[in-house]
């Protein structure tokens, strides 16, 4: 089915992304997987190529394109290249709105040029050992002390956590007010009292650094508050649909890639004297997967267009996130099965995609949380 989301400029940008990934990421990704982290230089090269801060104003070195379709193109191409170690999506899709929409002029001048050049890698710290999808359960706190905020607590499962130069930390600043007492505070690398724990060993996404962060009397300037004090929960709720849309875009791209790889395999791999795709069961299974992936692509493209028009709802973002990520995992499972023993070998892209994709139904809000959001939207 022909899709109508992207225009000529987006397809030109797609070619730029492909060339960059082929040259700067694909040859190194196996080593990054072994190291558990990508080279810092790839961030600077991505910045020089215009792949960071596409929707940041040009005065700060960004692309000046307030068009999420460019972000979606990069997300799709990273998945297509199998370069899951690159944390560009977290940087561009998740953190960027906090730094462009909620910051002061001084903060933007201080942070955005490095954000766009790749000299300043970012992360956002929400999850804690005792609070994942339930943001209201966070315990990390910040107390105002003169012209500073003093942070104490711990965060975990933080993408880009080891490499990040700037972390947007979700903290309690008025514990007695519950969800109405949460704020966002930026903590810069090297701040006394801010330390990083071990590099977390994950099932998949091995080249993408994920870390624990610790704050022990961590004193940051008062001007590092992002947005309005005690309005952090509302800032998060306003930006989470974009994060979930980003995950959905990657999920559909991953499902499409898995299906394409498996179709090629089903046409060439023979059993009992004929291609395995010629068996009715396998043919029907692939027909079902192709149909579901097409439907998912159509809905996600609609959501991207709605986001661009300022109309994407929290509920629709939740629908896109849970459906596409569950589909991605279902497609991966079926494709591994169709590959037989080869599907269990890491040298085959289907095996790695199966491992890398499992987390998609967990981060950004679990499938169960997404259904809770949708259910509440139904008045239940």
């Amino acid at each position: 089915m022909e899709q109508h989301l992207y225009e000529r400029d987006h397809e030109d940008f797609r070619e730029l992304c492909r060339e960059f990934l082929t040259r700067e990421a694909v040859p190194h990704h196996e080593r990054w997987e072994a190291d558990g982290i990508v080279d810092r230089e790839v961030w600077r090269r991505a910045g020089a190529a215009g792949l960071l801060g596409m929707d940041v104003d040009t005065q700060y070195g960004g692309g000046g394109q307030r068009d999420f379709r460019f972000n979606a193109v990069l997300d799709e191409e990273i998945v297509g290249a199998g370069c899951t170690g690159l944390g560009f999506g977290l940087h561009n899709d998740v953190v960027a709105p906090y730094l462009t929409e909620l910051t002061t002029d001084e903060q933007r001048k201080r942070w955005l040029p490095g954000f766009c050049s790749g000299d300043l890698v970012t992360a956002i710290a929400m999850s804690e050992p005792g609070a994942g999808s339930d943001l209201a359960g966070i315990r990390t706190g910040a107390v105002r002390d003169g012209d500073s905020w003093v942070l104490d607590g711990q965060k975990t499962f933080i993408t880009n956590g080891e490499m990040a130069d700037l972390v947007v930390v979700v903290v309690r600043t008025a514990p007695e007010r519950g969800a109405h007492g949460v704020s966002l505070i930026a903590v810069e690398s090297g701040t006394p009292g801010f330390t990083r724990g071990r590099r977390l060993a994950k099932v998949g996404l091995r080249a993408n650094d994920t870390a624990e962060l610790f704050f022990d009397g961590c004193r940051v300037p008062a001007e590092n508050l992002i947005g309005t004090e005690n309005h952090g929960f509302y800032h998060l709720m306003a930006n989470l649909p974009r994060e979930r849309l980003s995950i959905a875009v990657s999920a559909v791209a991953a499902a499409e890639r898995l299906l394409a790889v498996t179709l090629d395999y089903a046409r060439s791999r023979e059993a009992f004297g004929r291609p395995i795709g010629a068996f009715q069961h396998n043919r029907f299974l692939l027909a079902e997967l192709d149909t579901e992936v097409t439907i998912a692509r159509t809905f996600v493209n609609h959501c991207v267009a709605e986001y661009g028009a300022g109309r994407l709802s929290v509920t629709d973002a939740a629908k896109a996130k849970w459906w596409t990520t569950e589909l991605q995992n279902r497609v991966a499972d079926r494709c591994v099965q169709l590959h037989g023993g080869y599907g269990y070998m890491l040298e085959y892209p289907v095996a790695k995609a199966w491992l890398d994709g499992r987390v998609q139904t967990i981060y950004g809000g679990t499938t169960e949380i997404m259904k809770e959001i949708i259910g509440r939207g139904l008045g239940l």
Side-chain angles (χ1 to χ4, degrees):
M1 178 180 293
E2 183 177 354
Q3 301 290 339
H4 305 282
L5 178 66
Y6 299 118
E7 300 172 8
R8 183 69 259 164
D9 286 350
H10 305 106
E11 297 304 335
D12 289 343
F13 182 66
R14 187 182 302 279
E15 288 302 315
L16 171 65
C17 295
R18 285 181 181 174
E19 291 173 7
F20 175 86
L21 293 168
T22 299
R23 183 179 66 252
E24 303 291 354
V26 172
H28 310 292
H29 206 272
E30 186 175 349
R31 174 172 57 82
W32 293 342
E33 291 268 334
D35 294 343
I37 195 168
V38 306
D39 294 337
R40 181 58 185 254
E41 184 59 27
V42 75
W43 282 85
R44 298 188 180 94
R45 292 182 180 179
L51 304 188
L52 303 178
M54 290 86 73
D55 55 358
V56 174
D57 289 344
T58 55
Q59 65 178 306
Y60 304 113
Q65 297 285 349
R66 292 299 180 99
D67 183 347
F68 188 78
R69 289 177 292 180
F70 288 100
N71 297 58
V73 165
L74 178 56
D75 293 340
E76 290 170 359
E77 292 306 312
I78 287 174
V79 170
C83 295
T84 51
L86 298 172
F88 298 166
L90 187 283
H91 186 79
N92 284 327
D93 303 349
V94 181
V95 179
Y98 295 96
L99 301 186
T100 58
E101 305 299 327
L102 298 174
T103 45
T104 64
D105 287 342
E106 185 277 330
Q107 289 173 330
R108 288 192 287 273
K109 290 175 182 176
R110 183 157 40 120
W111 295 326
L112 287 179
F115 180 97
C116 298
S117 69
D119 291 308
L120 186 145
V121 176
T122 62
I124 186 165
M126 301 185 199
S127 297
E128 298 183 1
S133 295
D134 179 17
L135 294 176
I138 65 169
R139 295 180 178 272
T140 300
V143 177
R144 183 68 182 263
D145 182 23
D147 59 357
S148 302
W149 288 101
V150 180
L151 281 66
D152 287 283
Q154 178 182 353
K155 299 291 184 177
T156 193
F157 309 140
I158 308 306
T159 302
N160 293 349
E162 184 174 347
M163 189 175 287
D165 304 289
L166 182 78
V167 183
V168 178
V169 186
V170 182
V171 294
R172 286 195 174 277
T173 45
E176 71 283 358
R177 296 179 60 183
H180 302 285
V182 173
S183 300
L184 308 178
I185 295 177
V187 178
E188 293 160 295
S189 182
T191 302
F194 170 37
T195 57
R196 305 167 210 255
R198 61 195 174 95
R199 181 182 302 165
L200 300 176
K202 307 186 296 296
V203 170
L205 302 179
R206 289 180 175 271
N208 184 223
D209 65 298
T210 305
E212 299 172 308
L213 307 180
F214 298 94
F215 307 92
D216 184 10
C218 177
R219 183 177 293 270
V220 302
E223 55 265 28
N224 278 24
L225 176 73
I226 293 180
T228 304
E229 182 178 344
N230 296 327
H231 279 66
F233 190 78
Y234 303 103
H235 297 325
L236 291 166
M237 291 306 101
N239 284 314
L240 279 172
R242 172 166 161 147
E243 176 179 356
R244 289 163 182 163
L245 177 60
S246 172
I247 294 171
V249 167
S250 294
V252 171
E256 290 172 335
R257 176 174 180 253
L258 280 160
L259 186 58
V261 167
T262 304
L263 283 170
D264 285 343
Y265 186 81
R267 295 183 186 110
S268 60
R269 172 69 170 173
E270 291 191 357
F272 304 102
R274 55 177 170 159
I276 63 170
F279 290 92
Q280 187 185 64
H281 171 80
N282 294 342
R283 190 166 63 247
F284 279 16
L285 174 59
L286 289 165
E288 291 170 6
L289 295 179
D290 183 64
T291 301
E292 291 182 83
V293 170
T294 300
I295 291 169
R297 164 60 67 187
T298 303
F299 181 61
V300 166
N301 282 5
H302 171 71
C303 288
V304 171
E306 287 294 281
Y307 178 79
R311 294 192 298 259
L312 181 65
S313 69
V314 170
T315 301
D316 282 345
K319 291 177 181 178
K321 198 275 178 182
W322 89 260
W323 175 257
T324 58
T325 57
E326 291 288 347
L327 174 63
Q328 176 185 353
N329 277 301
R330 189 163 66 253
V331 171
D333 182 75
R334 302 299 185 272
C335 289
V336 166
Q337 187 71 20
L338 284 166
H339 275 75
Y342 292 107
Y344 204 63
M345 300 296 109
L346 281 175
E347 63 194 81
Y348 276 68
V350 67
K352 183 175 180 300
W354 179 50
L355 292 170
D356 287 342
R358 185 59 188 88
V359 74
Q360 289 274 75
T361 61
I362 298 172
Y363 60 18
T366 63
T367 291
E368 292 74 19
I369 293 295
M370 297 303 97
K371 291 180 179 179
E372 183 68 21
I373 291 169
I374 296 163
R376 291 178 181 179
L378 296 173
L380 300 173

